[in-house]
Amino acid sequence: MASFPRFRFLAIAMVFHLVYILSIFDIYFVSPIVSGMSLFKVERSSGSKAPADRLVLFVGDGLRADKAFQSHPEPYPESDADLEPRPLAPYLRTICQESGTFGVSHTRVPTESRPGHVALIAGLYEDVSAVTTGWKLNPVDFDSVFNRSRHTWSWGSPDILPMFEQGAVPGRVDAYMYGAEEEDFSQDAVALDYWVFDHVRDLFSEAEKNQTLNQALREDKIIFFLHLLGLDTTGHSYRPYSKEYLHNIKVVDQGVKEMTDMVNRFYGDGRTAFVFTADHGMSDWGSHGDGHPDNTRTPLIAWGSGVAKPQVSEDKIAPGHDELSADWGLDRIRRHDVSQADVAALMAYLIGVEFPANSVGELPLSFLDASLEEKAVAALVNAQEILEMYQVKEARKRDMELQYRPYSAFNDVSPEERIEAIRLLIAAGKHEEAIEESATLIKLGLEGLRYLQRYDWLFLRVLITVGYLGWIAFALTVVIDIHVLHGKTQPSRTLLGAAFFSSILVALYASFIVSHSPPTYYAYAFFPIVFWEEVYARRSCLAEGGRELFGHITTGPRLLTLMFNATIYIGVIVSLALAYIYREILTVLFVIGAFWPVANGFSFIRDHILLCLTWFISCVIMSTFTLLPAIKVEDITLIMAGGTLMATVGLLYLVFEDYVLAEFRTPRKSSAVELALSRTITGVQIGLILLSMWVTRSSALSLHSKLGLPRGNQAVGWIVVVLPFLMPLAYRLQPNSSYLHRLMVIFLTCAPSFVILTISYEGLFYVAFSITLFAWVRLEHQVYVSSKVRASVPQLRPEANGSTADAPGIEGRYRTLLLSDARTALFFMVLLQSAFFSTGNVASVSSFSLDSVSRLIPVFDPFSQGALLVVKLMIPFVLISANLGILNKKLGVPPSAVFMVVMALGDILTLYFFWVVKDEGSWLEIGSTISHFAIASLLCVFVAGLEGVSALFIAGVRVEPIGMAQQGRSQNPTKKAESPKASEGDQPLEVNREPKS
């Protein structure tokens, strides 16, 4: 494998992980959409009408349940009376009390607009990956209530309406949309809702003059859909507890009242049903996406033709209430909770159309103003529709499997027999019993659908596990072969081994062909076979590498030391897994890590007291960030504090540049001309930091004052973001190869962008993280130098494992990888996780705030705004990749060595998170487990990318080779280093104090 290029290794790593990350969607989140089903609706006798001729659907995008029903003071009080809490949606509240049915609609993750609207209108829960298509102008590929209607008119956002317009029968859905530029986070978003209400009025006004339109409006089975985006936009900008959000609730309530009155006046027949709900809620910090209860609980209110009146309890709390509704003042009115997909079934029943073909919603009978017999018939039709999906899916699965295992619940009594039994109950007048049996049959049908979706679980999970274990073994084999044995061993393949692995692959592929498996299955099987075959062929490499690395473990104390270190290593990796859930674990790791220098002896601390103190203080400071709340609100004071520290670091570097570049020793005085241009460019970078502070403060204050984002501020903001990344090119006019200078240039380059994209204490973290990385690099180097000097003084011999620290590597200038380098890889993993989780929780979609990007892009543009958030997220990794590249040079190890070790061992986390992915339970747990697996899996790809970034950042940096420094000391251990550019690690060591072997 000496000829195995490391770039080929990186390419394999990236392809493998990108393919295997798809596995959770093939296993846990198979799309529920199938086609070819028969459609079902409640059949009525000739002359009998559906409960309603038309339906009006109001969706208050981003409205959480509690805010819709709670009482609050007037958002903009004009008198003392306005300070008294009162319902902000009095019309909707009156409906709950007098004329309709209300409850809470529980959504699923991801709590985003597309999945929420699909559940409401189509009655199905898309697989979790559907969030990636949430803002695309693509047609839906499933049935919906809109497609079942005779005609649907819709008004609202261009992000939602086109999905249902383009996905329906051509001409069946009309969509009236405002421009995307209207979704401006810097403006009052109630204008979006006023736009909808005004255009609905225009339609009905036009109908009074347009006879064709008038006739179309008076048909039956029609739907009006009002998408009200103002609440969502306002919540993102000002938070759901703000006066702006509460005022928007009043605007929506008044608009719903006016629309209801207008529709009732236009028709005058009392044949209109109304439904008011939301696609998702909103967290207190103005975000949504995950499974937090504030995001998954939305209001549901139905009234009008065919809808039941409220059930009132005069002397006790009505059923359905809990702690959530304790302060709503509706205790005497029964609360009816439903799942979000149930709303589609309710709408289909009310206007008498077929249930959407893919609907898994259960018709909420408590919302219906109907007799028991009608409810029993409707429940049976609902069960037939769900069973039709099960039977179609089962038929397809049966055709694809060699030995199909049917769902056990239907072994004794088939679905057809159960349906016939329910029909007999209805005919016998046993309606309540029929309703119960239908509910049971619906439950069995949904469980049967779930069984079919999980049919291949065990096989696929075992296959994926073998693949990840194969990757770990393969990667470690490559590391040992390249960086320990330097390619001395050759593969040893046998005919029997080749036949064995080939037979397994052929058998797997044959089964995939028979079962018509997706193309990804072939890739899932290919990788483990290839990896394990390569490991088998390189078995001699593993044996020889084991002797090289562990050959010196010949005594009991050394074995105990190895076991102790291995236990710590495993403990830290396990802790990193738990840190995805409990960020505070990183606090513990940093506090423990602060005492790391003690493990090297007190003489080491005495010789490097300033460096050890810097490391200790920086670790303690870093430990505090994971104790701070992950969800932040904009704090201009903290933003300015972070920017001030960044500028201060730059100014201190300018003042003490000669001292710093001389490795913190008495410097050789440089002429003013020699450093003039370089110092000027550094000054410009500091100036850009100050400019970013000014424009950030100005923009934030303007947005807070609802004055919008001034064009000048937006232009300056973009200059501050883009220009600093071009500044490193200017240093080429006066190159400086010092690694300390290069690290400072990178720090100052990223600082202005980090300031303008910051909303709270992230700037303080940026400074603390940079200092910690700098101290880590120098401390790792010092520990290595100290250990090698002590080992070489008495006998001047190689390491105990048989490899010299200074032996030529694969390129003639790198040393052999040692067991002690595992510590460097472990520290790198901890720092990498800290970059992810210290200022937030990237495993949660809702942890990202749009406050920062609104200073650059005030209108809703998810892809551009997401790109800016990614830039902010990546900046700490720019720092860590540059510092690790410098450390590799200082330690004399190959650039890829530590990265490859991390890529090999990092998948221990990936495999753990793969097995704990959930597709049931609380939506918060489901969303978190998906995020954790995705992050852990992509971490390997990310580390591979960091190696390339590291090589780019440290190109041309001069670091004194450790071998040369050590060689000089070995020949004369008491001779002092004389190079004016030597690093602190190359300072003279009083090695005669401790003549250890």
Side-chain angles (χ1 to χ4, degrees):
M1 206 177 294
S3 61
F4 197 101
R6 63 189 177 96
F7 292 110
R8 191 187 307 170
F9 173 83
L10 296 178
I12 292 174
M14 296 181 73
V15 172
F16 166 71
H17 285 86
L18 290 175
V19 170
Y20 261 48
I21 198 173
L22 300 175
S23 63
I24 63 167
F25 298 107
D26 279 330
I27 299 174
Y28 300 101
F29 305 105
V30 179
S31 176
I33 299 171
V34 292
S35 59
M37 288 86 68
S38 300
L39 297 176
F40 293 85
K41 70 174 182 178
V42 178
E43 300 293 343
R44 293 179 170 85
S45 59
S46 178
S48 178
K49 288 187 174 183
D53 287 340
R54 68 201 68 90
L55 181 138
V56 182
L57 171 64
F58 302 94
V59 176
D61 199 309
L63 177 60
R64 24 192 277 198
D66 56 349
K67 297 302 179 184
F69 297 116
Q70 286 173 341
S71 296
H72 297 274
E74 179 67 31
Y76 297 101
E78 297 179 355
S79 64
D80 291 343
D82 290 339
L83 299 178
E84 292 294 325
R86 81 275 306 273
L88 297 181
Y91 178 72
L92 291 172
R93 186 182 187 85
T94 300
I95 291 173
C96 297
Q97 295 172 324
E98 299 177 2
S99 58
T101 303
F102 93 101
V104 173
S105 170
H106 296 271
T107 76
R108 291 191 183 184
V109 291
T111 45
E112 294 288 349
S113 290
R114 174 187 165 109
H117 281 90
V118 168
L120 285 171
I121 299 168
L124 69 95
Y125 299 109
E126 286 191 292
D127 58 284
V128 178
S129 62
V131 72
T132 61
T133 61
W135 299 291
K136 292 182 180 178
L137 213 62
N138 61 314
V140 293
D141 54 359
F142 43 77
D143 199 16
S144 71
V145 177
F146 291 176
N147 193 41
R148 295 293 108 214
S149 70
R150 190 180 306 278
H151 200 90
T152 294
W153 285 267
S154 58
W155 298 265
S157 166
D159 309 310
I160 297 300
L161 268 56
M163 295 191 304
F164 300 99
E165 178 191 22
Q166 297 178 17
V169 173
R172 182 161 294 180
V173 179
D174 290 341
Y176 303 92
M177 301 166 287
Y178 40 75
E181 67 278 0
E182 298 294 327
E183 300 176 29
D184 190 338
F185 290 100
S186 65
Q187 303 296 328
D188 198 338
V190 295
L192 302 178
D193 296 339
Y194 285 135
W195 188 99
V196 171
F197 296 139
D198 289 342
H199 282 73
V200 176
R201 292 190 189 95
D202 292 343
L203 178 78
F204 282 92
S205 296
E206 177 68 19
E208 295 177 357
K209 298 175 285 186
N210 186 328
Q211 189 62 30
T212 301
L213 176 60
N214 192 296
Q215 290 178 355
L217 291 177
R218 296 188 184 278
E219 296 278 0
D220 62 352
K221 301 178 182 179
I222 65 173
I223 296 176
F224 302 102
F225 171 40
L226 284 69
H227 177 232
L228 307 172
L229 185 63
L231 285 161
D232 184 74
T233 306
T234 302
H236 286 312
S237 301
Y238 301 104
R239 311 293 185 267
Y241 49 78
S242 66
K243 59 185 179 182
E244 291 83 4
Y245 187 88
L246 298 178
H247 174 66
N248 209 145
I249 294 176
K250 293 187 62 178
V251 171
V252 168
D253 180 73
Q254 182 63 27
V256 171
K257 179 180 184 301
E258 293 175 3
M259 296 299 101
T260 303
D261 293 342
M262 180 186 66
V263 170
N264 286 334
R265 284 196 307 270
F266 181 85
Y267 290 105
D269 58 3
R271 296 278 301 161
T272 306
F274 300 88
V275 175
F276 178 87
T277 186
D279 55 344
H280 55 74
M282 180 78 67
S283 64
D284 279 339
W285 45 93
S287 299
H288 54 82
D290 66 10
H292 191 282
D294 287 339
N295 295 332
T296 62
R297 296 185 297 211
T298 62
L300 175 62
I301 306 170
W303 69 100
S305 181
V307 180
K309 303 297 182 186
Q311 298 179 24
V312 182
S313 297
E314 296 295 342
D315 55 350
K316 63 179 180 179
I317 296 177
H321 288 280
D322 56 16
E323 185 178 353
L324 171 67
S325 55
D327 61 347
W328 294 358
L330 296 170
D331 293 349
R332 298 294 182 262
I333 311 298
R334 182 169 184 174
R335 173 180 144 191
H336 305 266
D337 285 15
V338 303
S339 296
Q340 192 172 47
D342 299 346
V343 178
L346 173 63
M347 293 190 295
Y349 169 82
L350 288 174
I351 61 174
V353 299
E354 298 89 348
F355 289 97
N358 302 107
S359 174
V360 295
E362 184 173 356
L363 180 63
L365 300 179
S366 60
F367 277 73
L368 308 184
D369 182 17
S371 65
L372 274 178
E373 181 179 3
E374 291 172 325
K375 290 183 179 181
V377 171
L380 175 58
V381 173
N382 190 189
Q384 288 178 284
E385 175 262 326
I386 291 175
L387 283 172
E388 176 71 6
M389 276 192 294
Y390 167 77
Q391 291 173 323
V392 170
K393 281 190 174 184
E394 184 187 44
R396 293 184 180 179
K397 178 61 70 174
R398 191 187 301 274
D399 291 341
M400 292 189 301
E401 295 295 326
L402 293 175
Q403 289 184 327
Y404 172 71
R405 303 181 306 278
Y407 179 48
S408 59
F410 291 135
N411 285 343
D412 297 330
V413 183
S414 68
E416 293 79 6
E417 293 173 326
R418 291 174 181 270
I419 291 173
E420 186 59 32
I422 295 173
R423 286 196 179 116
L424 294 175
L425 289 174
I426 295 174
K430 299 179 180 179
H431 301 130
E432 291 185 353
E433 188 175 345
I435 291 173
E436 292 178 1
E437 289 298 318
S438 294
T440 301
L441 189 54
I442 289 174
K443 181 179 179 181
L444 290 176
L446 294 175
E447 290 178 352
L449 288 171
R450 180 171 178 77
Y451 167 78
L452 294 174
Q453 285 188 276
R454 302 176 67 167
Y455 190 86
D456 297 325
W457 265 34
L458 179 60
F459 167 74
L460 284 176
R461 288 201 288 184
V462 170
L463 183 62
I464 297 300
T465 300
V466 173
Y468 274 118
L469 292 176
W471 160 256
I472 294 172
F474 168 74
L476 288 176
T477 302
V478 173
V479 170
I480 291 172
D481 190 66
I482 294 179
H483 299 304
V484 177
L485 302 179
H486 309 309
K488 292 185 297 185
T489 62
Q490 296 298 321
S492 175
R493 289 182 168 86
T494 64
L495 182 61
L496 181 62
F500 173 77
F501 288 106
S502 299
S503 299
I504 296 177
L505 186 63
V506 169
L508 289 172
Y509 278 15
S511 68
F512 296 157
I513 293 172
V514 171
S515 59
H516 303 287
S517 299
T520 49
Y521 282 38
Y522 296 86
Y524 299 154
F526 175 78
F527 281 108
I529 298 299
V530 172
F531 288 154
W532 284 110
E533 192 281 331
E534 185 67 28
V535 171
Y536 174 76
R538 297 286 177 174
R539 55 195 181 279
S540 60
C541 170
L542 293 176
E544 180 65 23
R547 287 191 291 270
E548 286 285 333
L549 292 173
F550 302 103
H552 65 290
I553 310 296
T554 56
T555 62
R558 287 188 175 183
L559 180 60
L560 290 175
T561 301
L562 176 65
M563 294 175 62
F564 177 75
N565 290 335
T567 301
I568 293 178
Y569 203 112
I570 294 173
V572 171
I573 292 180
V574 172
S575 299
L576 290 178
L578 296 176
Y580 278 66
I581 304 172
Y582 309 104
R583 295 169 59 243
E584 297 79 7
I585 289 177
L586 288 172
T587 296
V588 177
L589 293 179
F590 271 110
V591 170
I592 295 174
F595 295 93
W596 166 42
V598 176
N600 299 287
F602 289 102
S603 61
F604 175 86
I605 297 177
R606 183 177 62 251
D607 291 338
H608 310 286
I609 183 64
L610 183 59
L611 178 58
C612 292
L613 189 61
T614 302
W615 168 257
F616 181 84
I617 294 174
S618 63
C619 282
V620 171
I621 294 175
M622 283 293 295
S623 71
T624 62
F625 288 104
T626 43
L627 297 177
L628 299 175
I631 307 303
K632 303 170 286 294
V633 295
E634 190 171 62
D635 190 321
I636 297 177
T637 302
L638 287 178
I639 296 173
M640 294 300 103
T644 301
L645 276 180
M646 296 177 200
T648 302
V649 171
L651 289 171
L652 289 174
Y653 175 76
L654 268 184
V655 173
F656 299 102
E657 184 174 13
D658 289 336
Y659 178 71
V660 172
L661 296 182
E663 297 283 346
F664 303 97
R665 292 179 299 182
T666 303
R668 171 185 66 82
K669 288 295 182 182
S670 302
S671 66
V673 176
E674 183 181 349
L675 297 176
L677 182 58
S678 177
R679 293 171 66 85
T680 300
I681 297 172
T682 303
V684 171
Q685 287 188 296
I686 297 171
L688 288 172
I689 296 176
L690 299 176
L691 180 61
S692 70
M693 293 171 59
W694 173 82
V695 73
T696 298
R697 185 176 186 277
S698 175
S699 298
L701 292 176
S702 179
L703 292 171
H704 286 175
S705 303
K706 299 183 182 178
L707 300 176
L709 179 64
R711 291 289 186 182
N713 283 35
Q714 188 176 17
V716 173
W718 278 106
I719 291 173
V720 166
V721 168
V722 175
L723 184 59
F725 290 103
L726 303 177
M727 293 302 295
L729 299 176
Y731 282 99
R732 294 186 177 184
L733 299 174
Q734 192 173 67
N736 188 328
S737 60
S738 169
Y739 78 91
L740 293 168
H741 178 76
R742 184 65 58 85
L743 291 178
M744 180 55 62
V745 169
I746 294 172
F747 173 84
L748 295 177
T749 295
C750 299
S753 300
F754 209 75
V755 169
I756 202 168
L757 295 174
T758 291
I759 65 171
S760 185
Y761 57 80
E762 301 102 301
L764 302 176
F765 162 77
Y766 179 79
V767 176
F769 190 60
S770 300
I771 295 174
T772 303
L773 289 172
F774 174 71
W776 172 58
V777 169
R778 295 180 63 81
L779 196 56
E780 281 278 10
H781 179 238
Q782 290 288 12
V783 169
Y784 178 76
V785 169
S786 177
S787 65
K788 302 315 291 179
V789 169
R790 287 198 299 267
S792 62
V793 167
Q795 300 177 11
L796 302 178
R797 64 183 184 183
E799 282 288 286
N801 64 1
S803 63
T804 61
D806 306 320
I810 55 177
E811 297 182 31
R813 56 191 179 90
Y814 298 127
R815 67 170 174 83
T816 298
L817 207 61
L818 307 173
L819 270 182
S820 59
D821 293 317
R823 182 194 63 243
T824 303
L826 187 63
F827 268 101
F828 174 67
M829 291 178 67
V830 173
L831 291 168
L832 204 62
Q833 300 298 327
S834 176
F836 270 118
F837 293 103
S838 285
T839 61
N841 181 6
V842 296
S844 172
V845 177
S846 65
S847 66
F848 296 100
S849 172
L850 295 177
D851 285 347
S852 57
V853 295
S854 63
R855 302 168 195 153
L856 298 170
I857 305 176
V859 299
F860 184 64
D861 187 352
F863 291 107
S864 299
Q865 291 171 329
L868 286 174
L869 290 173
V870 170
V871 168
K872 175 185 174 183
L873 185 67
M874 291 298 105
I875 286 177
F877 301 104
V878 170
L879 300 177
I880 195 172
S881 63
N883 279 271
L884 183 60
I886 296 293
L887 179 59
N888 285 336
K889 282 200 169 189
K890 291 177 74 67
L891 296 182
V893 298
S896 61
V898 175
F899 288 106
M900 292 174 71
V901 172
V902 172
M903 280 189 280
L905 299 180
D907 274 338
I908 297 176
L909 292 178
T910 307
L911 198 53
Y912 166 77
F913 287 125
F914 171 77
W915 276 94
V916 299
V917 169
K918 294 184 177 181
D919 70 335
E920 59 184 358
S922 76
W923 303 122
L924 178 60
E925 292 174 338
I926 294 173
S928 296
T929 57
I930 298 169
S931 301
H932 294 162
F933 170 76
I935 292 172
S937 184
L938 288 174
L939 189 62
C940 184
V941 179
F942 188 63
V943 170
L946 284 183
E947 181 185 342
V949 173
S950 175
L952 176 66
F953 286 151
I954 67 172
V957 169
R958 174 180 48 78
V959 175
E960 181 181 355
I962 184 113
M964 296 299 295
Q966 282 304 103
Q967 187 177 14
R969 286 193 182 85
S970 298
Q971 294 170 353
N972 187 359
T974 60
K975 183 178 179 178
K976 297 182 179 292
E978 298 175 357
S979 171
K981 294 292 184 180
S983 67
E984 184 178 340
D986 294 330
Q987 293 179 24
L989 297 174
E990 299 297 329
V991 294
N992 288 329
R993 295 176 188 166
E994 295 182 325
K996 298 180 182 178
S997 59

